[in-house]
Amino acid sequence: MAEPTPLNRTPLYDLHRSLGGKMVPFAGYEMPVQYSAGVMKEHLHTRAAAGLFDVSHMGQVAIRPKSGAIEDAALALERLVPVDILGLKEGRQRYGIFTDETGGILDDLMIANRRDHLFLVVNAACKAEDVAHLKDQLSSKCEVEELVDRALIALQGPKAEIALAMLAPEVSEMRFMDVRSVDLLGAPAIVSRSGYTGEDGFEISVPASRVEDVARALLDMDAVEPIGLGARDSLRLEAGLCLYGNDIDRSTSPVEGAIEWAIQKVRRPGGERAGGFPGEDRILSELTDGPSRRRVGLKPEGRAPVRAGAELFADEDGGEPIGRVTSGGFGPTLEAPVAMGYVPLKQSESGTRLFADLRGRRIPVTVTPTPFVEPHYKRR
Amino acid sequence: MLKFTEEHEWLRVEGDVATVGITAHAAEQLGDLVFVELPEVGKALSKGDDAAVVESVKAASEVYAPLDGEIVEINPAIADDPSIVNSDPQGNGWFFKLKLADKAALDALMDEDAYKAMIA
């Protein structure tokens, strides 16, 4: 028998344990799924005040142009990512995806322009492959370095700004998707105003050796509570945000996945730098002609959650499945079940009534625009 | 008489009817419940059949029939407010009453001490 792979721990492992974190394996790490408050309270606290999340399992990568010109790194990365990176201004961040030759999605990521380099945050489960892909494709023009000595925490919710400003008042000046260097208790942090909950908030990259000090200082504030992966999932689901590996993967294109908003005009047909990324044929033609299926939000009737894997049908009885739920659960803020999944384009219109199989019964579900809850990003 | 199963259910037996619920340990492991599906009154169940479904924010779990019997009453309060199962799992958070087909089968279940030893 194969030895089980030992799980990694983040620099906040001991803190999680001391806070009553229930540790579970996730993407090769031992991570807290919840603390003593429980998923429901943690979710609601994040929407009402501020929640602190350990996301140190995610990958942080610096891409430095060998020429010294950031434009060279931007153009190099544009060969892998169908996003306008050249147009990304210093101190700004953008959502992106790595595509493959068939137009599928290898991972989704955040890309920041840090003046002399690009700073990327990628998913934990994909980070080894992403770094290998970047090194393989960009090494002639760029140095690719995974920043393994940095931890990452997220502070999310309406009181996130007040809380983080106690440590660094200048974060109040930041808008949604701004990125800047900030001194936090003497530690050199990279702070972005972004997150994965639909709330205002920050993602904070800190040297691993200093992250516990920063996390404790934030948790000492009345507004801030620790939040586990369980609530992270229900928060992002209510916000209509994709989970890589569930809602998007190599079998889904960005247009099918309804994240083509990430592809700016300049990379689309007729744009100055149209195409020039893996899978361009399929993705560009889907942008013009539409995909055959589409990711949509789904609201099940009643209180029973409809979960990932549930098959979707056009009718209450009989027929073949027309699609599948890719994420689903109970939305504590909505006090109702919410889901997302793929359906044929002609059934993707909001208001379309479909049926999901739930333990052999067909539950009515309605195609619903996402986000399910109103986002509170600080855009201005 | 209070009995327990390896599937973390409790049975409080009066005459030939057992009131059935999930243990405090099970409720804690499941986390905040958001949905409970109860069986229909009159349904005949064999030991191990799916009797009820509980859903937390994250996952669905089955509650099995602890013994052979017939459902004679259900607790609609927990369907209306599943959090009762978390707050009072071995009291107001009961699931259903099962008229036992064979009371002698209770002997094979655990008493409280044996259950506590199992989860320790």
Side-chain angles (χ1 to χ4, degrees), chain A residues 327-350:
Chain A
S327 279
F330 191 81
T333 299
L334 291 163
E335 297 185 314
V338 280
M340 48 176 100
Y342 283 81
V343 297
L345 192 64
K346 66 179 196 301
Q347 276 132 327
S348 66
E349 203 70 27
S350 287

Side-chain angles (χ1 to χ4, degrees), chain B residues 55-110:
Chain B
E55 303 240 14
S56 66
V57 180
K58 276 297 279 178
S61 311
E62 313 285 350
V63 176
Y64 304 107
L67 292 171
D68 296 355
E70 182 193 326
I71 302 289
V72 292
E73 196 180 336
I74 56 172
N75 182 7
I78 63 167
D80 291 341
D81 181 4
S83 72
I84 297 170
V85 179
N86 292 108
S87 58
D88 192 9
Q90 293 183 215
N92 290 331
W94 64 277
F95 277 61
F96 52 80
K97 294 187 180 184
L98 188 67
K99 188 176 178 191
L100 300 174
D102 173 19
K103 268 193 80 172
L106 284 164
D107 295 343
L109 302 183
M110 286 177 277

Side-chain angles (χ1 to χ4, degrees), chain A residues 6 41 72 78 88 133 138 168 208 230 242 265 303 333 340:
Chain A
K41 286 202 180 83
D72 290 336
E78 282 196 1
L88 181 65
H133 183 51
L138 304 187
C242 290
K265 221 172 151 185
R303 270 187 76 90
T333 299
M340 48 176 100

Side-chain angles (χ1 to χ4, degrees), chain A residues 298 306-315 318-326 340-343 354-365:
Chain A
L298 299 164
V306 171
R307 301 198 186 265
E311 289 184 320
L312 294 166
F313 295 86
D315 299 305
E320 291 297 310
I322 58 161
R324 199 171 56 83
V325 171
T326 50
M340 48 176 100
Y342 283 81
V343 297
L354 302 171
F355 296 87
D357 178 85
L358 182 73
R359 297 182 281 270
R361 282 202 320 257
R362 297 228 178 140
I363 304 289
V365 297

